[in-house]
Amino acid sequence: MKGTFPIDKFQEIQTPFYYYDTDLLRRTLKTINEEAGKHPGFEVHYAVKANANPKVLNVICQAGLGADCVSGGEIQAAINAGFPANKIVYAGVGKSDWEINLGLEKGIFCFNVESIPELEVINELAGKQNKIAQVCFRINPDVGAHTHANITTGLAENKFGIAMRDMEGVIEEASKMKNIKFLGLHFHIGSQILDMGDFEALCNRINELQNQLEAHHIVVKNINVGGGLGIDYNHPNRVPIPDFKDYFDTYAKKLKLRDGQKVHFELGRAVVGQMGSLITKTLYIKQGTAKQFAIVDAGMTDLIRPALYQAFHKIENISSDESVETYDVVGPICESSDVFAKAIDLNKTHRGDLIALRSAGAYGEIMASQYNCRQLPKGYITEDL
Ligand SMILES: Cc1ncc(COP(=O)(O)O)c(C=O)c1O
């Protein structure tokens, strides 16, 4: 089954472009609010890194989610879209002074801190602004995730986070600093995780760490478990909304919460992945010796995931109902890795046909580049058409 698209309206738009189905986005957000809302203390932040299109951010902000940012630019984008500063958390292994200052000036809720040198700088800059910075420490839980090696982040050798053995020392350091208030712990084990067992493993680790801290009378108010819930790239129509019930229920069952504790989630891909498609036009059908290539006008500059992670995106010819043939779908960029898919079935494709690369709402438009002096793709939401 193919997706349904407003194809007549697409004819007027310069390709390649991103199309965001805001009806699906709103239904996804409603499901998130309903499922998270069943568990007291659960609060969801949207990971802006997945898609920072201002119109998309605005819809997410209207649904009441907070924002998880990893740069000063993202803090600014979140504020511009209307997210209240006290619902913004800021993570990142290398925060520059201007970014920390911006977070302090805006009064964001929390800095997720990844090292003592960073903590010292935040303390110093907060002192200069006469402010108290609330911090969580990103702990590396040494929990593997069953996902692509480039997007697993919770193993001991990753650059992210503070080692578990250093956790108490860092909290102790923080308690001596005048302009720092310790709030809690932060984790993130990776992305595109579909096995709830990985999140259970994280919960078990958090339970151990909490017991350890409690034994030293250290109070943890907030636990931020990061993001990572995956989407079904194979079946964007059959599974347009991820299983948020299973996801939040897993945390509710497995995490041993203390009274009044808050659990923060930072979901990116699961919020926006399925509502986006990259729409591209077929330029040429080229017959190779053993294959035929559909050369399209989008390339790895518009959607880098297949070249970067060998990621799969379902591809559909939305202009044709003719019987299927086998194609390699490739872009125009001067790189041999500029291939979206090899040997896939598409309805017989002709020059001018529109092709949809599905499930491209997360880590698509936001990762686009201008390599080869190309224009950045534009993003359109349903209401624009
Ligand atoms: C710290 C942190 N939180 C949240 C996310 C969002 O992850 P996802 O899009 O898989 O939900 C990421 C992604 O890299 C991250 O690094």
Side-chain angles (χ1 to χ4, degrees), residues 47 49 68 138 186 188 190-192 227-228 266-269 363:
K49 68 170 76 63
D68 159 44
R138 178 166 178 174
H186 174 231
H188 176 73
S191 202
Q192 184 51 21
E266 300 172 341
L267 293 170
R269 188 189 312 267
Y363 308 106

Side-chain angles (χ1 to χ4, degrees), residues 24-38:
L24 176 57
L25 176 59
R26 288 194 180 90
R27 283 189 286 127
T28 306
L29 291 162
K30 187 165 176 274
T31 310
I32 291 173
N33 280 334
E34 279 168 8
E35 293 303 332
K38 289 178 184 162

Side-chain angles (χ1 to χ4, degrees), residues 320-333:
S320 165
D321 283 324
E322 291 178 54
S323 55
V324 296
E325 294 193 2
T326 305
Y327 299 89
D328 279 16
V329 179
V330 301
I333 312 297

Side-chain angles (χ1 to χ4, degrees), residues 4-160:
T4 44
F5 291 100
I7 187 153
D8 291 349
K9 302 206 171 124
F10 283 0
Q11 305 295 348
E12 292 149 31
I13 306 175
Q14 172 75 49
T15 52
F17 63 90
Y18 278 88
Y19 170 65
Y20 300 125
D21 175 348
T22 39
D23 174 53
L24 176 57
L25 176 59
R26 288 194 180 90
R27 283 189 286 127
T28 306
L29 291 162
K30 187 165 176 274
T31 310
I32 291 173
N33 280 334
E34 279 168 8
E35 293 303 332
K38 289 178 184 162
H39 307 292
F42 279 22
E43 285 179 17
V44 183
H45 290 82
Y46 165 64
V48 174
K49 68 170 76 63
N51 185 326
N53 181 293
K55 290 174 184 169
V56 169
L57 285 184
N58 194 255
V59 173
I60 297 171
C61 167
Q62 281 170 14
L65 272 65
D68 159 44
C69 301
V70 291
S71 71
E74 284 191 2
I75 294 176
Q76 198 55 63
I79 291 198
N80 293 348
F83 286 92
N86 65 5
K87 279 192 174 181
I88 294 179
V89 297
Y90 174 26
V93 69
K95 302 178 182 76
S96 322
D97 292 17
W98 75 266
E99 295 178 302
I100 296 169
N101 275 327
L102 180 71
L104 290 166
E105 276 157 27
K106 300 288 179 192
I108 63 166
F109 176 68
C110 181
F111 291 83
N112 291 328
V113 173
E114 307 219 8
S115 67
I116 294 249
E118 179 195 330
L119 183 68
E120 286 167 348
V121 173
I122 295 176
N123 183 46
E124 187 193 320
L125 296 177
K128 284 189 186 148
Q129 288 196 31
N130 249 329
K131 296 212 164 129
I132 304 287
Q134 304 205 105
V135 303
C136 280
F137 290 113
R138 178 166 178 174
I139 306 298
N140 191 329
D142 199 16
V143 169
H146 295 94
T147 185
H148 191 282
N150 289 6
I151 49 177
T152 179
T153 54
L155 286 171
E157 69 270 22
N158 281 122
K159 73 172 177 178
F160 301 104

